[in-house]
Structure formats: C-alpha cells, structure tokens
Amino acid sequence: MADKKDKPDKAEQAAKAEQTAKSDQAAKAKREGKARQAEQKKAADEAKAAAATPLPPEPKLPARLRLRFESEIAPALMRELKIENKMRVPRLEKITINMALQEARDNVKILDSALEELKVITGQKPVLTRARKAISNFKLRQGMPIGVMVTLRRDRMWEFFDRLVNISLPRVRDFRGVSDKAFDGRGNYSLGLKEHTIFPELNLDKVEKVKGLTINITTTARSDFEGQTLLRALGMPLRGGDRDGDGAKAAAKPPPPPEPATASEPAGA
C-alpha cells in the first residue's frame, strides 16, 4: 500500500519541479527583456543627447596670403623700402566693394539679386546704399536705395584679394594688367570692373544681368610709391612695371663704343 501512495507523490513532485523550472525560466526571460529594454532606452537617450548637443566649430584656417605676407613679403618690403621698424611696413587695411545700380530707380527688385550675388562673391552680407540728397536731373530722391556695398577686413580681406589677383582678374578677356595710375596720392588704389561675372563663385545660370562694381583697396602706405610697391609684392598685375624695369636697365647699361672710321677709297680707283 505504501508503494501505491508514494507513486502519486513522486509524480506530483516532478510536476511541481517542472512547473517551478518553467516559472524560473519565464522570470529570467522577463528580467533579460527588461534589461535589454533599459539598455536600448539608455542608448536612445544618449544618441538624442548627442544629436541635441551642438558640434564644436571647426578650426578656421588662416588666409594663406596673410601668412605669406608676414613670413616673406614684409621682410622683402623692409629691405626694398629701407624700413627698420616692422610695424612701419605698409599693409592692407580694408577692401571696400561698391556696386551702384542705375536701374534701381525704376526696379527696386534688382537690388535683391545684387545683394545675393555680392554676398556670394565676398562671403559677407552687404548693406544697401542710399542717395544722400535729391537730384531732379537724375530722378533721385533723398534716401532712395541705389546700390549695395560691403567692407572686408582681416582674413576675409586677404582671402578676397588672393582670389581677385590669382583667379578672377586673369579671367578678363584680353587681360593685360590693371592701370598703375589709379592711386589717390596716399597709397590707396581703386579698381573698376565692368563685369562681375569674372568671379567663379557665381552661378551664371542664375545671373539675370551683368553688373559692374568698384573695388577700393585701402592700405597703410604713406605715398603712392609705397602703395604700388606693396600691391606689386602681393601679386597685383599693374601695367608699366616691366617697361619701367627695362627702361631702368637700359639707362644703367653703358653705351656701346663707337665703330672705327673706315678709310675712304681714292677717287681714281
């Protein structure tokens, strides 16, 4: 009788053990699932925080022309101009680009395209220029917007001058250099361009009309000679430099010796 009672107890114990094992496995799987969910939520929160955090700004590279000026051009100017103080060496101070639009009297919307194009060329937002006084012959009213202007300083000035001299000016048709007589007497130089499309930054498909602009280069030079020497050293293709150099070399060269006189033949020969 005892054997018959033990058999159902053993079966019940086995069933209970199996049920306990299943419940343990289910609890373990549930704990693992919660752990995975917590890890996924933590990773998502970290990714969201990383996306919300602004990236640090990239280090800005200095203008290559400014570095070349400080390392090579400035010492050469000190020797050429016989300057002992390094702070006395002439250098670029600012560059002002002005675009006057006569059509703005009748169509003010043309100033919007001029603002955008000059911003693309210089990398800086320009400002509107307005008429200072009313002129009836020119159909101008005081305060009427007639153009756009931008002033460049520091690295943007050096970068624009570098692109102007090495890329934009050589794109002018039949280019033979710029005039060396456009100085104002104090070492500052003015340059006029009939077509602003020589700048490769512009998309010519979006340019509605070709516009002209004026570039004023302000330097710290005290005379036109110092300003001209500075611009030539920076690569400005001024006309007359080669001819003046050839003339100086010709003047310094001694004249050739006179040829010996040949004896005249007798008349009866």
Side-chain angles (χ1 to χ4, degrees), residues 85-136:
N85 189 355
K86 185 177 181 181
M87 302 302 295
R88 170 67 179 78
V89 177
R91 62 185 67 233
L92 297 181
E93 185 176 359
K94 65 180 179 179
I95 295 179
T96 306
I97 301 101
N98 182 32
M99 186 181 291
L101 300 170
Q102 184 178 359
E103 299 83 358
R105 297 177 304 181
D106 304 325
N107 183 15
V108 184
K109 293 183 178 179
I110 197 173
L111 293 174
D112 297 336
S113 61
L115 282 170
E116 186 63 27
E117 291 166 2
L118 195 57
K119 180 180 178 181
V120 172
I121 291 173
T122 61
Q124 182 173 316
K125 185 177 180 180
V127 297
L128 288 175
T129 56
R130 301 179 181 273
R132 296 183 180 179
K133 59 181 179 179
I135 303 176
S136 59

Side-chain angles (χ1 to χ4, degrees), residues 99-104 106-107 110 113-114 117 121 194-197 202-212:
M99 186 181 291
L101 300 170
Q102 184 178 359
E103 299 83 358
D106 304 325
N107 183 15
I110 197 173
S113 61
E117 291 166 2
I121 291 173
K194 295 182 179 179
E195 299 179 357
H196 76 304
T197 54
L202 292 176
N203 185 1
L204 300 183
D205 297 334
K206 297 182 180 180
V207 176
E208 298 178 358
K209 184 177 181 180
V210 178
K211 307 174 184 66

Side-chain angles (χ1 to χ4, degrees), residues 94-98 149-153 157 160 189 191 214-218:
K94 65 180 179 179
I95 295 179
T96 306
I97 301 101
N98 182 32
M149 182 192 70
V150 64
T151 301
L152 304 177
R153 301 177 188 272
M157 171 190 66
F160 175 80
Y189 185 76
L191 173 65
T214 304
I215 302 173
N216 296 321
I217 303 173
T218 305

Side-chain angles (χ1 to χ4, degrees), residues 62-76:
R64 65 170 188 172
L65 185 59
R66 181 173 66 83
L67 297 178
R68 181 168 168 262
F69 175 82
E70 294 175 353
S71 61
E72 301 177 9
I73 299 177

Side-chain angles (χ1 to χ4, degrees), residues 21-38:
K22 288 182 179 179
S23 62
D24 293 342
Q25 290 179 357
K28 183 178 180 182
K30 189 176 181 180
R31 288 194 301 269
E32 291 177 354
K34 289 183 178 180
R36 285 196 299 270
Q37 290 179 358

